Amino acid sequence: TTITPQSATNIGMLGANFSLNRFTFPTASTYNAQVSDGGNVLSSYNASPSLGVSLPNPSTLYPGWTMGFMTDNGLGITISVAGSASEKILLPAQGGTSVSSFVMPAGPNYEFLQLKWDGSNYRIAASTPQTINSFGGLIPSGTPADTGPCNTGQLRFDSNYIYVCTAPNVFKRSALSSY
């Protein structure tokens, strides 16, 4: 049996906006996202000096609601939860972190992040590597202790070394050099 996306939305099942299908370029520096922004990508292109986005009230959302964010024109984006509930933005940083807001840096252009509402929290559904790395999702920065907590295969870096966790709670390092 199949159901149309509109019918699914009407009876409280997953909503119609599973994919991103349009762009918006707000000129104001703040944007209060609404349920109708599902499927929308906000660009910081016109939002000088940066774009601050407040995500919709979670009581109005359906599981699967999706929204994207893209930095452009050297302008960053700050994304925040509505603040009235216990919802969080779940980041894949250092084993999983939940935050009420985070910043997509202004420096790199065309960085992208897609958030999806799971019924309790906003989850990152897609991202460019630089964006994930900016909040520790790929290779977090910092100098770990040689027996600092880690899981085999984890990486870290600082200005002099790359660190590899070779066994539980055992880091080894390799020096970086100029070329």
Side-chain angles (χ1 to χ4, degrees):
T1 304
T2 60
I3 187 169
T4 66
Q6 185 59 50
S7 294
T9 300
N10 291 343
I11 63 173
M13 295 175 65
L14 292 177
N17 294 317
F18 299 116
S19 64
L20 301 173
N21 53 31
R22 63 191 183 282
F23 281 83
T24 300
F25 301 88
T27 56
S29 60
T30 60
Y31 188 92
N32 291 317
Q34 305 296 315
V35 174
S36 60
D37 282 308
N40 193 14
V41 176
L42 289 181
S43 170
S44 63
Y45 184 80
N46 292 320
S48 187
S50 66
L51 179 61
V53 179
S54 179
L55 295 168
N57 183 324
S59 66
T60 63
L61 298 178
Y62 50 83
W65 179 91
T66 301
M67 188 170 181
F69 307 89
M70 185 178 79
T71 62
D72 197 359
N73 202 20
L75 304 172
I77 300 175
T78 300
I79 303 167
S80 304
V81 298
S84 59
S86 62
E87 80 277 9
K88 296 288 184 189
I89 301 168
L90 305 180
L91 305 177
Q94 301 173 6
T97 305
S98 61
V99 298
S100 57
S101 70
F102 71 92
V103 176
M104 292 177 65
N109 282 327
Y110 316 119
E111 285 302 310
F112 173 79
L113 177 80
Q114 179 180 357
L115 291 178
K116 187 172 282 202
W117 176 252
D118 69 5
S120 299
N121 294 291
Y122 296 94
R123 294 181 180 269
I124 295 176
S127 177
T128 51
Q130 180 68 24
T131 295
I132 286 287
N133 199 48
S134 71
F135 44 79
L138 293 178
I139 303 175
S141 64
T143 306
D146 60 350
T147 57
C150 67
N151 295 316
T152 303
Q154 280 184 298
L155 300 173
R156 295 189 63 117
F157 75 95
D158 62 23
S159 60
N160 297 308
Y161 298 96
I162 291 180
Y163 302 87
V164 178
C165 183
T166 57
N169 303 322
V170 176
F171 274 106
K172 293 187 178 180
R173 68 184 187 185
S174 180
L176 299 173
S177 62
S178 299
Y179 62 95

